[in-house]
Amino acid sequence: MKIREIALDGVVRQNPTLKLVLGTCPTLAVTTVAFDSFGMGLAVTFVLICSNIIISLLRNVIPDKVRIPAFIMIIATFVTIVEMVIKKFVPDLYSSLGNFLALIVVNCIILGRAEGFASQNPVGYSALDGLFMGLGFTLALTTMGIFREVLAKGSIFGVTLWDANVFSISFFGTSAGAFLTYGLFIAVFNVAYNAVDRKSRHKLAARLANEEVA
Amino acid sequence: MTAKQFFTSTSFKSVAVLLAIAIVCVTLLSVLNPLLYVEVGGMADFDGIVDGVSFAKAEINAEFTSANGTLTTAAKSTSGNYFGYIATGNKFGDKPNEYTVLAVINGDTHMLEGIKILQEGATSSSYNVTDDAIAMYKSVAIENPNVFDSFAFGAGGVMAGATQSAITFKNAMMVIAQYYATYELGVADPSVEINEKLNALEEGVTYTKGEAYDYEAEGIEVLYHFDSNVDGKMAYVANVTVTETFDSAGKAVELETPATVMVAIVYTEEGASSKVANAIVLSEYTEDTVTVAQYVEDRVVGKAKTAISGLTTKKQTNTVEKAAVRLLALDSFAYSQAGTGKYFDMLATVSDATFAQSDATATTSLGTVLFTATGTDSTYGPVAGIIVTANSAGACPSVTLIALVSTATDEIVAFGFNGSLTSGGYESYAPSEDQLKEAYLGVNVSVATAIDGVESGLVVTGATPAGTETSRTIKNAFTIVAQVYSGNLETLSLGGQDIVNSLAEGATAVALKETSKGDNASVIGVYANADTTVYVVYSLPVGESKDASVCAVAVEGGKIAAVKMIADGSTGGYALSQETLDKYVGTDFTAASLATANIQTGTTNSSDVLHNALLWAATYANA
């Protein structure tokens, strides 16, 4: 398996947020501002990498019957660690993310990668899978966070771009705005992805045809 | 199964692996916990509150707890003159949590330089403490323990629309101010001791010092107001200057030296009126011979406020009692946000208008007369000021109306309302100011029925029951004003006197019992001659019937002799005919009989309105 494939899967082809539509709760809840989105993304990435590594290491030790509870214990441990770290060093982010931080433990992306990838692949690949899946999640959340923060508050990462009293669409700061943003991002991402995918298929087909002719 | 088989079985392996993972996880977290654990309310919370200032924990004096909450942490800056505190303010109302607040005070300026909320108490984030509210707290130097008492809530206050959260947060801030002023500035708070005395009055009832009162008039200086954990129960503390006492014959005798007596009065609100639940004399005053306990028992507790004020004309026995009675007689207390003069000033176009309050508290079938006053307004000339609260005519809240009537023309020249006209999502159905002015300004109220001619439909912006209920309630308020001004509170309004006379010739009004108001209907008048008793009943709408109905039912020998509608609130075409009404004639005038005698005419809502009226009238009559 190539590293490039893992990277492409995590960030684009199987982007957990925009392609697989996993982890929707935090996606909708914390993307009101870019900073929180980025923070949540990093937290999930940390847990993904660590849990994938440990689960991959133990994949031949953990009996199949109890793999899910074992995975959950491992994931919960790393979630607790990341929660403690954020509470200690970034208390504002801790307050902002609230319960969603603890709820990482039931994030489908993490359990999904543990079950679908880490438990079947070597440590190196599993770590990379965790890294790129986390990056895909972080990128999607942060982009959405930037989009919503700019429109709803006229700022980006807390830096004011313009006076929100002059122009802002506060709707994008609401729950309904979160759903609309999410829908738009999925649509745009898939349209772009399909267009690129179609183009590369055409190129491949043309190359194969040329080779055949030759 | 052999031991070897057991130890090599999948089940054993599974349990062993799970256990091993659990042990490793717990061990890892145990190792990390001391390194990463953040104690809520710990010293780490002080970091960064004031740039470049770090704090060290300080001893708390005597585990400071006041009526507002508890101080949990005290700190002193290691450089510079700063004091840091963490306090938990008591919950108020439906708040799920106490507020835990960290505050840093500059010891030189006594100003708050940092506030950090460690635990929100609001039910939802929309009620969280705002930056504007925090800025208000930071704008005041803490030079005495009561510095935050004067912070008001509501419009212009620290947190409009979120009173319970605001009070909960304020409690925490008050604890910090109390502690800082008491132990760092050496300024004691006398209200703390008073608070303890109030709390000792009744088990389970605790008082919390509320907003400060800036009221001083007629020898009465209000010092504190206390809310309690019981709805409608509150206490006022005031210094009352007494210049006279009474001799044993009840004759007023001027004191050689005016005495000041501090009195705490506990009120219990009961609807529009309030009663005195308890009273304490807080200052030492030894001249009287009657003990306070006896005075409370005999004279004050349980008496309505107006009844107490009446005592001033009766034989009085001691100075303390007189002080308390004067305190109670001042209506401004119970209707506390502002004095009545202030209410009337709201309506006066020129501020030099003056008003002299007079006693006129009374309850009618439509509501309560709170105050009347006379005065001179530089625009309207001589005027009468009347404040009334009309009972709700449906689901909308009651309405308190402040009206000015020109005594030269007998016309309503100005009016306003204390509080909102509607609530609970029906605000959009409140009549507009223009609609109200068009309907009521200039109406001559020299007769009690003057308002009858105002169609409630004229002052409704929406054609919904909520809108009509609001406008009916407002109309009721103006009706009471007309009744008060015309000097005839007992006059049957709504043009029903002729109908009553036709049912019982020469009937005279009978005083209503206190139980005249039922859930769906109210008996608003009872008239009787030798043979016949007529009950006039106001009945709320049912379903889509447009308006309330008023009917008169004549009773002779325990049976209904006649039923007539005075005002039919049915929607168009569904008014009950006299023939329909006559179907009740001959029915026993008892609730049991009427409960099964609902005439169903096909216009169910309208007939239900009538049925409710008769059923309640019978219940009232036989109570």
Side-chain angles (χ1 to χ4, degrees), chain B residues 139-202:
Chain B
S139 68
V140 179
I142 302 173
E143 290 174 332
N144 67 71
N146 309 318
V147 65
F148 296 133
D149 294 10
S150 60
F151 276 30
F153 303 98
V158 292
M159 227 184 325
T163 310
Q164 293 183 351
S165 290
I167 292 174
T168 310
F169 177 75
K170 183 178 157 182
N171 278 341
M173 297 307 298
M174 287 170 79
V175 173
I176 290 170
Q178 288 158 3
Y179 186 89
Y180 177 75
T182 305
Y183 293 105
E184 301 302 340
L185 304 180
V187 181
D189 179 5
S191 72
V192 173
E193 193 181 340
I194 295 171
N195 206 153
E196 286 169 4
K197 286 184 177 177
L198 285 168
N199 288 346
L201 284 176
E202 194 178 345

Side-chain angles (χ1 to χ4, degrees), chain A residues 11-12 17 41 43 45 48-49 61 68-69 85 93 124 128 132 135 137 141 155 170 179 191 197 202:
Chain A
V11 179
V12 183
T17 311
T45 305
L48 262 171
I49 295 171
V61 178
I68 298 295
V85 168
L93 180 65
L128 286 174
F132 287 111
L135 276 181
F137 182 70
L141 253 67
S155 62
S170 55
F179 275 101
V191 166
D197 191 44
H202 283 313

Side-chain angles (χ1 to χ4, degrees), chain A residues 206-214:
Chain A
R207 201 182 74 206
L208 289 174
N210 287 338
E211 283 174 5
E212 207 169 292
V213 170

Side-chain angles (χ1 to χ4, degrees), chain B residues 345-370:
Chain B
D345 286 349
M346 285 161 52
L347 305 178
T349 54
V350 178
S351 60
D352 62 0
T354 55
F355 294 90
Q357 185 183 320
S358 63
D359 282 342
T361 307
T363 301
T364 77
S365 57
L366 296 177
T368 305
V369 184
L370 301 179

Side-chain angles (χ1 to χ4, degrees), chain A residues 58 61-63 65-66 69-70 73-74 77 80-81 84-85 87-89, chain B residues 10-11 13-14 17-18 21-22 25 28-29 32-33 35-38 40:
Chain A
L58 299 177
V61 178
I62 299 171
K65 273 183 178 178
V66 292
M73 264 198 290
I74 293 163
T77 303
T80 308
I81 291 170
M84 290 164 86
V85 168
K87 189 174 183 181
K88 172 113 179 156
F89 296 108
Chain B
T10 313
S11 300
K13 274 186 191 168
S14 301
V17 167
L18 278 179
I21 292 173
C25 290
L28 179 65
L29 290 175
L32 291 174
N33 189 52
L35 302 173
L36 298 174
Y37 180 69
V38 179
V40 175

Side-chain angles (χ1 to χ4, degrees), chain A residues 87-159:
Chain A
K87 189 174 183 181
K88 172 113 179 156
F89 296 108
V90 203
D92 288 345
L93 180 65
Y94 178 79
S95 305
S96 302
L97 297 180
N99 288 338
F100 288 99
L101 206 48
L103 287 173
I104 293 174
V105 78
V106 290
N107 192 314
C108 303
I109 302 168
I110 297 166
L111 195 58
R113 296 322 291 175
E115 169 74 359
F117 193 96
S119 63
Q120 296 161 20
N121 287 286
V123 179
Y125 286 147
S126 297
L128 286 174
D129 179 74
L131 172 68
F132 287 111
M133 279 288 164
L135 276 181
F137 182 70
T138 306
L139 279 174
L141 253 67
T142 308
T143 318
M144 280 178 65
I146 291 171
F147 179 81
R148 293 179 66 193
E149 186 179 349
V150 168
L151 289 177
K153 300 184 175 181
S155 62
I156 185 166
F157 282 100
V159 179

